[in-house]
Amino acid sequence: MKTKRSKSRIENAAAMIKNSYQMHRGMYSIQKDYTEDLNSILCKLDQPEAHISSNNSTAISVDLVDNINEPKKPKTKRYKKLDKTRKTIEVDQRPSWVKEVYRTVMRKCHPDMLANLDIPIPEKLYRAEVVLQVQEAINEKKYDEVLFLGITVGVYTEKINFNEQLNMLNNLYSKIVNSIEQIQKSVTWLWGISWDNLEVRIQLINNVFQSKGKSPPPRQTIISQIVNHELE
């Protein structure tokens, strides 16, 4: 950054994103569980074509697809696979500043480097997670996330100007907030958080069937499936 004030503004923007970013990743993972749960009931009530896709959650009023950032499930022995994952990144297609941030993050946050650092354990865990998240972002060409993640561990670039960086961060924040709202409005999310409200769940199932152009099952059939499902 050219000035302390510019650096401070960039850091503040990244700090604002950080909580929402982690919240979104967590909500996306939970939403997948809710989707699987709802699909298991739909499987018993109708044919497979009535199911909701695990990747495209549809809201009751409008179709909303959450696609900003699909976190990947952690791999077993993932750090042993780190070097293999790095080879999949197409180096020549990355902007020069992305290469710079990536290399610096790897030097600063790679598990082998963290082992010798005298920093709090939560910070070590966060940096180790950033390594994986940066790789995901680069592979998916989500360079605004690369910028953001780098800043959260003190990695900056001078290869793009301050205004462009701030715009990238602000746009990323808006996308995350919008995606969180989409998740909260989705059928699958409403299904999951309404586990103790039978009437809401019955209405959600009716809405799914109607959205597919089909007549919903009888009310008592739906109730029986929900009750039996909860007892499994």
Side-chain angles (χ1 to χ4, degrees), residues 1-193:
M1 303 297 103
K2 291 185 177 180
T3 68
K4 290 183 179 180
R5 184 170 285 108
S6 296
K7 182 178 179 181
S8 177
R9 287 172 180 162
I10 289 291
E11 289 174 341
N12 289 340
M16 181 176 65
I17 294 170
K18 187 175 179 180
N19 289 338
S20 297
Y21 184 81
Q22 298 302 330
M23 179 187 296
H24 177 266
R25 292 178 71 88
M27 289 179 68
Y28 193 96
S29 177
I30 292 170
Q31 187 191 30
K32 284 189 170 183
D33 291 338
Y34 289 165
T35 301
E36 182 179 352
D37 189 62
L38 177 54
N39 277 339
S40 67
I41 283 200
L42 294 175
C43 283
K44 300 167 186 175
L45 290 171
D46 197 40
Q47 299 302 313
E49 60 262 29
H51 302 169
I52 296 176
S53 168
S54 61
N55 292 324
N56 299 316
S57 298
T58 308
I60 295 174
S61 56
V62 291
D63 291 340
L64 296 175
V65 179
D66 175 46
N67 57 13
I68 176 178
N69 180 29
E70 181 175 351
K72 295 177 175 57
K73 293 182 179 180
K75 299 177 180 178
T76 56
K77 301 180 181 179
R78 58 185 177 178
Y79 294 127
K80 291 184 178 180
K81 297 182 180 181
L82 203 53
D83 291 335
K84 183 177 180 180
T85 304
R86 291 176 64 182
K87 293 177 182 178
T88 66
I89 298 175
E90 299 176 5
V91 178
D92 292 340
Q93 295 186 3
R94 293 179 292 168
S96 61
W97 70 266
V98 173
K99 299 177 188 178
E100 174 190 53
V101 170
Y102 172 72
R103 292 180 185 128
T104 307
V105 166
M106 290 302 296
R107 286 196 298 269
K108 190 170 186 178
C109 301
H110 191 282
D112 292 343
M113 302 297 295
L114 293 176
N116 300 319
L117 292 181
D118 184 19
I119 59 176
I121 292 178
E123 178 65 18
K124 283 188 178 183
L125 293 175
Y126 177 74
R127 291 191 187 185
E129 192 65 27
V130 164
V131 170
L132 300 175
Q133 292 174 358
V134 165
Q135 289 183 338
E136 290 175 11
I138 291 177
N139 285 329
E140 296 170 12
K141 296 182 172 58
K142 296 176 179 177
Y143 299 141
D144 50 357
E145 293 184 26
V146 176
L147 176 68
F148 151 68
L149 290 166
I151 293 169
T152 65
V153 292
V155 176
Y156 306 90
T157 180
E158 297 285 350
K159 294 187 176 182
I160 47 178
N161 64 50
F162 163 74
N163 287 335
E164 185 177 353
Q165 290 189 47
L166 198 57
N167 285 336
M168 289 172 66
L169 293 173
N170 288 336
N171 289 336
L172 176 60
Y173 178 73
S174 294
K175 286 194 294 185
I176 292 172
V177 169
N178 179 63
S179 184
I180 289 174
E181 291 177 354
Q182 291 181 14
I183 290 175
Q184 292 173 328
K185 292 177 182 177
S186 69
V187 168
T188 50
W189 189 263
L190 293 174
W191 171 266
I193 65 174

